[in-house]
Amino acid sequence: MVRSKALARCGLVLLSLWLCIQSVPISVDKAKQNPKEEELGPPQSADTGLHYDRYLREVIEYLEKDPHFKEKLKNANMDDIKQGKLSKELDFVHHNFRTKLDELKREEMNRLRMLIKAKHDIQEGNGHTVDRQALLKQFEHLNHMNPDTFEVEDLDRLIKSATKDLENYDKDRHDEFKRYEIMKEHERRERLKNLNEVERKKEEQHYEEMKKKHADHPKVNHPGSEDQLKEVWQEADGLDPEDFDPKTFFKMHDSNGDGFFDESELEALFTKELEKVYNPENEEDDMVEMEEERLRMREHVMNEVDTNKDRLVSLSEFMAATKKEEFYEKDEWETLDQNPLYTDEELREYEQQLVNEENDINKKSVELQKQREELEKKQEELNAQKLGLKQAMEEMERVKVQSSNIKQPGVSVTEGQPAPVVPGNSQPLPPVHQQQDVPVPGHS
């Protein structure tokens, strides 16, 4: 798989895998020269699959450009790297590269801030509790308390995080594959439940036929054994197996010529064996299982050959392995179908987990329905209150209008008649004067 093949490059460099760097020793005078500042393009090494992959690879590629640091890396061992001794050499990296590393860190900090904000918003939007500790783990590969400059602690954290994550990568893949197989079997059983007796019997028969057909394949040689390597020598390289030479074989398949087999180069050696068992055009062959088989083969060889556990096989380790008794192993390699991938108990636990999750969803659905009904009831009450308030306002307005039309006391103006007018005056009298007697001149 792509991620599996990508582990080697960054894993090497951070875990003393820098031993693969082949260069002429740098003199003191050359180390003192100011390196030419240059822009770094997209990382050329393979993707590790880590969430901080680009940052990791760009830091590696810049450090490789510093003569002093590169020389120290060549002479470092894994224990020194894991204990942080190599990180202290960062103090001697040239200013130009330190400035670039500062820029890389600031970019990574900005990326993580945006990532965490997005995750936070999504979780809150879905009504999930925000796991702040899990979010903070996104920062473990750098010192987030100092967001501006790349220091010794940043390199130390990057090395430790990459070491731990790469070591756990294979285990996580195995666990993921087991869940895949359990889920596949569960779905098959669920499909059978929905069939009638005749269809179920036919489906079961077809399933057994496919299993038998998948198991019917040529002998799979033990990975890393003489027979397996000779088969590659003959079929892939087109050479006479009688002329097989381990040292020549190693150099032919060390595709990048660095003097080591990395994980990707090792896995390429197993292609012929895997093709005996898996064909993407066959219904009975699962390509996800093929990648798991490839991983198992690589782990088997690494466990037997990689004596210093640096996730690389050197020429000396390879030659030493060809002298061991295991190299002449003649027994057939046991493929996945010959080994139980999970127990019945694990399948039952998975199915129970699905039942529990379904019950939780149903419970949540009932709660949401209840909340919806309560909200609808409250909405109806609110609508009724709004209607009542509207009617009350209308009544108050009507009363106000009526009140303004009520005649004041003492006024006897008949409706439809004009108000009295004072003689000699064309204007009607004010209401307060309309009922008073107007005195006639000459009368007391």
Side-chain angles (χ1 to χ4, degrees), residues 114-364:
M114 294 177 63
L115 174 66
I116 288 180
K117 184 181 184 305
K119 286 186 176 181
H120 187 277
D121 292 344
I122 291 172
Q123 288 178 337
E124 286 196 334
N126 292 335
H128 297 158
T129 301
V130 178
D131 188 347
R132 302 188 184 281
Q133 292 300 319
L135 293 178
L136 286 175
K137 286 184 178 180
Q138 304 289 329
F139 286 92
E140 286 186 343
H141 60 286
L142 47 70
N143 176 20
H144 63 278
M145 300 303 292
N146 172 19
D148 299 316
T149 58
F150 189 96
E151 306 295 343
V152 171
E153 184 178 354
D154 292 294
L155 182 56
D156 190 45
R157 286 192 178 209
L158 186 59
I159 290 173
K160 290 178 179 178
S161 293
T163 302
K164 180 185 67 175
D165 294 342
L166 291 173
E167 287 176 349
N168 292 335
Y169 180 73
D170 287 345
K171 179 182 180 302
D172 292 341
R173 278 189 58 192
H174 287 309
D175 292 341
E176 183 180 348
F177 176 74
K178 178 186 283 190
R179 288 192 296 270
Y180 167 79
E181 287 293 315
I182 291 176
M183 180 180 66
K184 189 168 70 171
E185 175 61 18
H186 168 74
E187 291 176 348
R188 187 187 73 84
R189 295 186 180 189
E190 289 298 307
R191 284 196 302 271
L192 292 177
K193 291 179 182 179
N194 297 323
L195 302 178
N196 59 43
E197 186 175 351
V198 175
E199 292 173 333
R200 188 181 305 113
K201 185 176 181 181
K202 183 178 179 181
E203 182 64 26
E204 287 282 18
Q205 182 179 357
H206 177 71
Y207 175 71
E208 293 300 326
E209 288 175 355
M210 291 299 99
K211 283 179 62 178
K212 184 177 180 180
K213 187 176 180 181
H214 174 71
D216 184 18
H217 54 72
K219 176 185 175 182
V220 178
N221 294 311
H222 226 71
S225 68
E226 182 183 40
D227 288 345
Q228 189 259 313
L229 299 183
K230 278 186 175 182
E231 192 170 76
V232 175
W233 176 273
Q234 180 179 14
E235 297 187 13
D237 302 332
L239 300 175
D240 189 340
E242 297 299 324
D243 298 329
F244 176 74
D245 177 66
K247 188 173 183 180
T248 302
F249 179 90
F250 184 94
K251 291 183 176 180
M252 288 177 62
H253 292 274
D254 176 18
S255 57
N256 61 3
D258 63 0
F260 294 84
F261 276 163
D262 60 30
E263 294 175 344
S264 176
E265 290 166 331
L266 268 181
E267 290 180 356
L269 300 179
F270 311 140
T271 300
K272 290 294 180 182
E273 300 303 318
L274 293 169
E275 288 176 349
K276 297 176 181 177
V277 186
Y278 299 95
N279 185 335
E281 297 181 359
N282 293 341
E283 177 188 354
E284 68 275 10
D285 298 334
D286 188 335
M287 295 300 103
V288 175
E289 293 179 358
M290 183 185 76
E291 294 305 323
E292 174 69 9
E293 194 77 75
R294 191 191 304 274
L295 174 59
R296 291 178 64 240
M297 289 180 170
R298 188 250 294 164
E299 286 181 327
H300 171 76
V301 173
M302 281 293 191
N303 289 335
E304 289 191 346
V305 182
D306 179 23
T307 56
N308 65 358
K309 305 304 177 187
D310 63 356
R311 299 177 76 94
L312 291 172
V313 176
S314 65
L315 175 59
S316 60
E317 287 174 325
F318 180 79
M319 295 303 297
T322 62
K323 297 177 173 59
K324 294 180 180 178
E325 183 178 348
E326 292 83 356
F327 183 67
Y328 302 98
E329 176 69 60
K330 298 296 182 182
D331 293 339
E332 183 175 2
W333 171 255
E334 291 187 355
T335 55
L336 285 170
D337 54 290
Q338 297 173 280
N339 293 277
L341 301 173
Y342 53 85
T343 64
D344 291 338
E345 179 64 24
E346 287 174 324
L347 178 58
R348 284 193 295 269
E349 288 177 358
Y350 174 78
E351 292 179 332
Q352 184 59 49
Q353 179 184 347
L354 292 180
V355 171
N356 293 341
E357 289 176 356
E358 184 177 2
N359 291 337
D360 289 341
I361 292 174
N362 291 336
K363 183 179 178 181
K364 186 68 174 177

Side-chain angles (χ1 to χ4, degrees), residues 16 18-19 21 25-26 68-78 80-81 86:
S16 181
W18 295 83
L19 297 175
I21 299 174
I26 301 168
H68 172 81
F69 201 85
K70 185 174 182 178
E71 183 69 12
K72 289 294 182 180
L73 286 167
K74 282 188 61 181
N75 300 319
N77 58 53
M78 185 182 296
D80 288 343
I81 293 177
L86 183 62

Side-chain angles (χ1 to χ4, degrees), residues 378-443:
K378 289 181 179 179
Q379 185 64 47
E380 291 176 358
E381 294 174 353
L382 180 60
N383 291 339
Q385 291 176 1
K386 289 171 66 177
L387 180 61
L389 180 60
K390 181 180 179 182
Q391 292 174 345
M393 293 292 290
E394 291 175 349
E395 180 65 20
M396 288 177 63
E397 185 66 24
R398 186 181 65 80
V399 171
K400 183 178 179 181
V401 171
Q402 289 179 347
S403 299
S404 66
N405 293 331
I406 296 177
K407 303 173 182 59
Q408 298 185 19
V411 178
S412 59
V413 179
T414 305
E415 183 178 357
Q417 295 181 352
V421 180
V422 178
N425 190 350
S426 62
Q427 298 298 325
L429 291 174
V432 294
H433 295 146
Q434 289 175 6
Q435 296 297 324
Q436 297 177 0
D437 293 333
V438 180
V440 179
H443 289 77

